[in-house]
């Protein structure tokens, strides 16, 4: 592999990226008023673009006003004032030569009553996550199994949110299919116990993801991006392998590869960890069965790890390093010795203190 690949340009559909580095999606829980993030959270994204990140993902944006929200203070893009609030942010990111992508999500069973005023928590099946809610330290409530009509309604939320993101000028949209949220809950036999057309075989468990992608794609103009994020772990199912085997995971990647999407974003704890009892990491396992561009994320913290992670992927994403170090891209470029941050250090993301 070319040693300078990290700072080489990459053609992602019709976008010529200036390098292979992106800001991973990061929920900041700052939208206390009107589902609009605080100004300093917007400014943070623009500064990361200015520091040289070629791709900037937003936090996960909630797809409805009913039961999609998973954390306090999450944002939406369903109303004019929300769209207007994001417009200058997108413009500033683009003026820095970066690509702005909005991630959209439904949390499914990861909701709890306080942040879910509709009192309806939905999931493929009435099964709770294995861990307590990290925000309340309480067990999650048992969700209701989503009905067929509700599935259509939930997909409408993805459509309307994608419409808002397009109106705000985003270069792309990401469907969040990772981390044990609704789409991920459908994909995994661990949370999906359905016996109808949305559960059972891999193909049936994949059906919901397929329908969301097919519904969102026509909303996203052809010259803009649609990406899909996937993981083998969940926020409240840390120890669980969401897919039963390498073969099962690869079957889903194959199905995704037939979709009108422009990249697959693979989220891991540590990009280099061997997966599914093989000697391959998640990026390599993904690469084996797809020709789509791959983004990889998890524990990439310095030049060496970034170059190494690119052996199985086209673009690397960083969350904690870019959150905590405003000069990260430049520091990586100069090969500075940089720390691997711990999860607890990222809690500052949720404070009122503006980040540098
Ligand atoms: C503060 C914070 C918020 C996060 N919010 C999201 C999110 O909204 N959507 C998402 O897909 N991942 C989210 N993640 C996960 C990151 O995108 C990333 O996958 C994970 O932190 C591992 O990457 P890292 O080792 O570079 O931090 C979040 C991570 C952090 C630290």
């Amino acid at each position: 592999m070319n040693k300078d690949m990290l700072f080489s340009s990459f053609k992602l559909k019709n976008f010529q990226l200036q390098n292979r580095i992106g800001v991973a999606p990061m929920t900041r829980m700052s939208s206390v008023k009107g589902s609009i993030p605080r100004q300093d959270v917007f400014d943070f994204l623009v500064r990361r673009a200015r520091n040289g990140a070629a791709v900037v993902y937003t936090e996960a944006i909630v797809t409805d006003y009913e039961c999609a929200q998973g954390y306090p203070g999450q944002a939406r893009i369903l109303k004019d004032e929300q769209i207007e609030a994001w417009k200058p942010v997108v413009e500033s990111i683009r003026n820095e030569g970066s690509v702005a992508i909005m991630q959209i999500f439904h949390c499914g069973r990861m909701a709890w009553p306080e942040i879910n005023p509709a009192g309806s928590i939905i999931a493929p099946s009435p099964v709770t996550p294995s861990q307590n809610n990290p925000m309340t330290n309480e067990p999650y409530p048992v969700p209701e199994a989503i009905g067929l009509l509700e599935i259509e309604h939930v997909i409408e939320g993805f459509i309307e949110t994608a419409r808002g993101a397009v109106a705000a000028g985003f270069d792309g949209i990401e469907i969040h299919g990772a981390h044990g949220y609704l789409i991920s809950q459908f994909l995994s036999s661990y949370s999906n116990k359905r016996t109808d057309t949305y559960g059972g075989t891999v193909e049936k468990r994949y059906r919901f993801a397929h329908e969301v992608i097919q519904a969102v794609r026509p909303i996203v103009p052809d010259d803009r991006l649609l990406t899909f994020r996937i993981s083998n772990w969940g926020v409240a199912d840390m120890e669980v392998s969401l897919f039963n085997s390498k073969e099962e995971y690869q079957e889903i990647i194959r199905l995704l590869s037939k979709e009108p999407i422009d990249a697959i974003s693979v989220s891991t704890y540590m990009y280099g960890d061997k997966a599914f009892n093989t000697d391959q990491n998640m990026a390599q396992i993904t690469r084996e069965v797809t020709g789509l561009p791959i983004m990889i994320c998890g524990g990439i913290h310095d030049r060496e790890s970034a170059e190494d992670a690119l052996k199985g992927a086209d673009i690397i994403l960083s969350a904690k390093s870019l959150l905590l170090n405003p000069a990260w891209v430049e520091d990586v470029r100069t090969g500075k010795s940089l720390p691997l941050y711990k999860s607890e250090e990222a809690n500052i993301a949720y404070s009122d203190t503006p980040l540098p």
Side-chain angles (χ1 to χ4, degrees):
M1 189 201 57
N2 174 0
K3 180 85 181 61
D4 297 320
M5 187 160 153
L6 187 61
F7 287 95
S8 67
S9 118
F10 181 73
K11 197 161 168 36
L12 183 58
K13 202 172 182 177
N14 49 330
F15 291 89
Q16 198 67 48
L17 305 184
Q18 51 181 320
N19 58 43
R20 311 300 188 94
I21 301 175
V23 182
M26 275 182 275
T27 292
R28 298 290 307 275
M29 300 198 277
S30 74
S31 310
V32 281
K33 228 175 130 230
S35 294
I36 297 173
R38 277 197 324 258
Q39 188 58 42
D40 65 275
V41 171
F42 284 147
D43 297 343
F44 158 85
L45 294 174
V46 175
R47 272 200 306 280
R48 296 311 181 263
R50 191 166 306 140
N51 186 240
V55 180
V56 176
Y57 275 98
T58 69
E59 60 194 74
I61 304 296
V62 174
T63 51
D64 65 33
Y65 271 94
E66 290 156 30
C67 43
Q69 188 168 344
Y71 300 94
Q74 285 197 285
R76 293 178 175 79
I77 193 152
L78 295 160
K79 294 186 176 189
D80 287 350
E81 58 265 33
Q82 293 158 355
I83 294 167
E84 291 306 315
W86 279 101
K87 274 186 183 169
V89 185
V90 177
E91 201 185 328
S92 302
I93 291 172
R94 298 178 75 172
N95 287 343
E96 297 296 341
S98 306
V99 168
I101 306 181
M102 175 163 268
Q103 187 187 57
I104 63 178
F105 109 130
H106 191 302
C107 74
R109 67 180 186 174
M110 297 284 285
W112 72 94
E114 286 77 6
I115 50 98
N116 183 254
S120 151
I121 298 175
I122 54 165
S125 305
V127 183
T128 53
S130 57
Q131 287 164 236
N132 280 353
N133 183 334
M135 304 289 297
T136 63
N137 221 6
E138 301 280 323
Y140 282 95
V142 179
E144 300 159 38
I146 185 171
L148 296 182
L149 201 63
E150 268 180 305
I151 287 182
E152 284 177 34
H153 181 66
V154 164
I155 292 175
E156 272 309 309
F158 279 91
I159 294 174
E160 285 166 23
T161 302
R163 212 170 264 144
V166 168
F170 276 93
D171 299 307
I173 286 164
E174 173 161 281
I175 296 171
H176 194 346
H179 302 168
Y181 298 116
L182 186 63
I183 294 175
S184 168
Q185 288 158 32
F186 269 95
L187 291 177
S188 173
S189 64
Y190 162 75
S191 42
N192 182 346
K193 310 288 182 196
R194 296 175 80 96
T195 52
D196 63 4
T197 50
Y198 289 92
T201 62
V202 173
E203 204 146 16
K204 285 180 173 174
R205 279 185 268 134
Y206 178 76
R207 180 173 169 184
F208 180 67
H210 169 71
E211 289 182 354
V212 173
I213 294 169
Q214 290 294 326
V216 168
R217 183 73 249 190
I219 309 299
V220 185
D222 281 347
D223 60 352
R224 300 199 213 175
L225 303 165
L226 183 61
T227 69
F228 188 93
R229 197 167 208 214
I230 191 163
S231 69
N232 190 35
W233 62 279
V235 168
D237 297 296
M238 297 274 205
E239 309 304 325
V240 178
S241 177
L242 296 181
F243 301 107
N244 295 306
S245 62
K246 172 181 167 181
E247 289 67 34
E248 191 186 289
Y249 171 76
Q250 286 190 325
E251 201 176 331
I252 288 179
I253 298 298
R254 277 198 195 90
L255 290 166
L256 275 174
S257 305
K258 291 187 204 152
E259 302 283 5
I261 58 172
D262 303 303
I264 298 177
S265 178
V266 181
S267 166
T268 70
Y269 288 139
M270 287 297 290
Y271 77 92
D273 284 354
K274 307 295 179 226
F276 303 115
N277 299 317
T278 70
D279 60 359
Q280 295 170 297
N281 65 31
M282 286 296 285
Q284 292 164 331
I285 290 173
T286 310
R287 181 70 102 204
E288 231 169 44
V289 289
T290 188
L292 283 171
I294 296 173
M295 302 183 184
I296 187 72
C297 184
I300 297 164
H301 65 103
D302 59 5
R303 176 97 192 210
E304 200 184 336
S305 50
E307 296 274 6
D308 189 46
L310 274 185
K311 286 178 187 158
D314 302 292
I315 294 163
I316 61 108
L317 302 183
S318 162
K320 291 188 280 293
S321 288
L322 274 160
L323 179 81
L324 296 164
N325 177 0
W328 192 70
V329 178
E330 211 30 55
D331 286 351
V332 166
R333 191 194 295 274
T334 57
K336 202 168 159 180
S337 168
L338 298 166
L340 174 63
Y341 292 109
K342 297 190 190 74
S343 298
E344 311 82 78
E345 291 175 88
N347 286 340
I348 192 167
Y350 315 123
S351 79
D352 292 341
T353 316
L355 289 171

